[in-house]
Amino acid sequence: MKRICMIVLCFVLCLCSCSDVYRYTSTEFYSMTTFVNVISDGDGNFDNVENYAKDFENRISRTKSDSEIARLNRDGSAVLSEDTLSILKKSLEIAVNTDGAFNPCLGTLSELWDITSGKEYVPDKGEIETALKNTSYEEVKIEGNKVTLPKGMKIDLGGVAKGYALQKMVEIESSEKDANVCVSIGGNVGVRGSSEANRKNNKDGWNVGITNPFDKNELSGTLTLTKGFVSVSGAYERFFEKDGKVYHHIFDSKTGYPAQSDIASAAVINNDGLEGDALSTALFVMGSIKAIEFYKENKYNFDMILVLDDGDILITKGIKDKFTVNSSAKGIKSDIKVID
């Protein structure tokens, strides 16, 4: 469900010639259907991070036939490892707390639409109604480590996997001499400490650029963080257009169609990678009014940046001083609205 997001990363903003003082190094590899980027002033050995990413993908991907999730979807029941079970349980909890705006049980629906296949297939109403019968997250049964699904249901943890893995990789890399670290996976970024460029200029943090949903070649703004995770969801990430209508990959589990939202992109900033990944999707599906209501309910501890279809930017007060809007960006209004 989650996507290869064209967020402009801290790596682009901060990579420069290594200095004798800081000795930052970087690596890039392909995993979880996207490129993973790591930059750090640790020991320069990224094997542990890369090995974790590949092992995690082999356990969690629904498209790898021998993964735990693929086996669960194929057989209808499976005994899961503690790690995979924990991810599934937390995903189901978020589904309940967001009233299905985030739903890890949309595998059958996602396969029906197959947004990224290039087929540009729009299912008919009957097909969608049939798929929706297999998306009820309340019907997943968990007994110990054994998970049983209703017939026809398929789990898809793509909406949380990158965020969860991101947090683990930041923790792995930052354990090296308490390193300054920035990791990105698709539309998710995690940071600890400060970038080389900022340290040279006696500044703190990493500069994370957020892509303009109206023009992916520029930024809507830049967020400066010393610790935390950023996850972004938007309809511009994966879609196809047919007969003059755009169909994107973020589905409304109540209708079975791509979510109709007044949000162009939703960014969640928090200290939990999995939660941030899921909540960015949920906020997009909710639309701005419900997203603000949800934020004020304080079910989860997070900040958010919502770029609306009309170019307005809504930002929570916790990060208003850490975000700089790109007032010259296409379609973006420079007057930020702060949510109390």
Side-chain angles (χ1 to χ4, degrees):
M1 184 175 179
K2 210 66 172 177
R3 60 286 158 202
I4 300 177
C5 178
M6 292 297 293
I7 183 172
V8 178
L9 302 171
C10 42
F11 307 100
V12 177
L13 297 175
C14 299
L15 274 176
C16 53
S17 60
C18 292
S19 71
D20 292 336
V21 177
Y22 302 121
R23 302 181 187 279
Y24 280 70
T25 54
S26 64
T27 189
E28 180 179 86
F29 56 90
Y30 194 80
S31 182
M32 291 173 276
T33 71
T34 190
F35 284 100
V36 179
N37 296 273
V38 186
I39 182 171
S40 166
D41 67 345
D43 63 6
N45 183 351
F46 298 107
D47 288 349
N48 288 340
V49 172
E50 186 169 355
N51 290 338
Y52 175 82
K54 292 180 178 179
D55 175 69
F56 179 76
E57 181 181 15
N58 287 335
R59 289 189 292 108
I60 212 81
S61 173
R62 68 181 175 89
T63 62
K64 289 184 176 291
S65 60
D66 56 349
S67 76
E68 293 182 51
I69 296 303
R71 188 173 71 251
L72 172 61
N73 288 340
R74 181 177 62 249
D75 300 338
S77 67
V79 176
L80 304 182
S81 65
E82 290 291 343
D83 196 37
T84 304
L85 182 65
S86 174
I87 294 169
L88 176 59
K89 283 182 173 180
K90 195 165 185 178
S91 298
L92 293 170
E93 176 188 286
I94 295 172
V96 172
N97 288 334
T98 61
D99 191 27
F102 170 79
N103 186 347
C105 302
L106 298 184
T108 302
L109 185 68
S110 297
E111 288 183 2
L112 174 64
W113 279 92
D114 204 8
I115 293 290
T116 59
S117 67
K119 297 177 182 177
E120 298 186 354
Y121 177 68
V122 180
D124 62 37
K125 184 178 180 180
E127 290 175 306
I128 291 173
E129 289 177 349
T130 298
L132 279 177
K133 294 177 181 178
N134 301 315
T135 62
S136 180
Y137 48 85
E138 298 97 336
E139 296 182 21
V140 177
K141 295 181 180 180
I142 300 177
E143 299 173 321
N145 280 51
K146 183 179 180 180
V147 178
T148 303
L149 306 178
K151 185 177 180 180
M153 177 181 286
K154 292 185 178 181
I155 297 294
D156 183 356
L157 296 179
V160 296
K162 292 182 178 68
Y164 181 86
L166 173 74
Q167 182 165 343
K168 291 296 184 182
M169 285 189 277
V170 169
E171 291 170 356
I172 291 169
E173 184 59 28
S174 63
S175 68
E176 297 290 344
K177 70 166 189 179
D178 197 25
N180 295 276
V181 179
C182 184
V183 180
S184 80
I185 312 176
N188 303 274
V189 180
V191 301
R192 293 279 179 91
S194 301
S195 69
E196 177 181 357
N198 279 349
R199 290 174 71 186
K200 285 180 176 179
N201 291 303
N202 295 316
K203 296 179 180 180
D204 294 326
W206 293 84
N207 300 325
V208 182
I210 309 298
T211 295
N212 180 3
F214 309 119
D215 185 342
K216 294 187 289 186
N217 294 314
E218 61 182 12
L219 303 179
S220 59
T222 304
L223 184 66
T224 302
L225 296 176
T226 56
K227 181 180 179 181
F229 305 95
V230 182
S231 181
V232 183
S233 290
Y236 63 93
E237 295 158 0
R238 288 191 291 177
F239 63 92
F240 67 80
E241 185 173 351
K242 189 172 184 178
D243 298 328
K245 187 171 183 178
V246 174
Y247 300 91
H248 60 78
H249 71 292
I250 305 176
F251 299 108
D252 186 332
S253 64
K254 291 181 168 53
T255 67
Y257 287 87
Q260 298 298 305
S261 176
D262 65 336
I263 297 175
S265 72
V268 169
I269 302 91
N270 70 346
N271 291 314
D272 187 303
L274 184 154
E275 285 183 5
D277 208 2
L279 292 179
S280 66
T281 297
L283 297 177
F284 180 89
V285 173
M286 291 176 186
S288 62
I289 294 176
K290 289 185 178 179
I292 293 171
E293 291 174 354
F294 179 79
Y295 168 76
K296 292 182 177 181
E297 289 173 359
N298 291 316
K299 290 180 179 178
Y300 295 94
N301 184 20
F302 68 97
D303 281 291
M304 64 183 182
I305 302 169
L306 305 180
V307 180
L308 304 190
D309 287 338
D310 63 4
D312 278 340
I313 294 182
L314 311 182
I315 187 169
T316 50
K317 61 182 180 180
I319 55 169
K320 67 181 180 66
D321 295 329
K322 300 176 182 178
F323 182 75
T324 302
V325 66
N326 179 11
S327 58
S328 64
K330 178 181 178 181
I332 298 295
K333 297 178 182 178
S334 59
D335 185 19
I336 296 176
K337 299 180 180 179
V338 179
I339 302 169
D340 293 326

